[in-house]
Amino acid sequence: MEHNSLLQWIYAHILDEHMNSDPKQFAIELRMTERTIDIALHKEGSAEYTLLFEQLLTLCAEKNISIDGILRHYIDTGD
């Protein structure tokens, strides 16, 4: 996946680093369908985009995943 937006990058980072690159399991963890996630990742500003953002932040809080660390990594890699 090309990471055109910060949300796409955060999603991909958590998927790879914390969800064993398993999009089906990640969708279950986010309480979203894979189709809704796909729409969110490709339609910035949509209701799905907002929902994915909220669910990612909630998941990070529940699983003690550092958003600060993810954002630092995003800045450090220059994406």
Side-chain angles (χ1 to χ4, degrees), residues 30-73:
L30 292 171
R31 297 177 206 94
M32 298 175 70
T33 66
E34 289 180 86
R35 177 163 163 51
T36 301
I37 292 170
D38 188 55
I39 292 168
L41 293 173
H42 295 96
K43 192 172 180 188
E44 200 167 317
S46 66
E48 293 87 355
Y49 183 93
T50 302
L51 177 62
L52 178 58
F53 179 75
E54 290 174 355
Q55 292 299 90
L56 284 170
L57 290 180
T58 300
L59 180 81
C60 287
E62 290 172 349
K63 297 209 173 272
N64 233 4
I65 298 170
S66 171
I67 285 290
D68 290 343
I70 293 170
L71 293 175
R72 268 193 301 280
H73 188 72

Side-chain angles (χ1 to χ4, degrees), residues 1-17 26 41 49 52 56 66-79:
M1 169 189 309
E2 192 175 317
H3 309 291
N4 294 325
S5 75
L6 178 59
L7 185 68
Q8 288 175 331
W9 196 91
I10 291 170
Y11 173 84
H13 179 84
I14 295 171
L15 176 65
D16 295 342
E17 297 294 322
F26 197 17
L41 293 173
Y49 183 93
L52 178 58
L56 284 170
S66 171
I67 285 290
D68 290 343
I70 293 170
L71 293 175
R72 268 193 301 280
H73 188 72
Y74 176 79
I75 291 168
D76 291 345
T77 60
D79 285 326

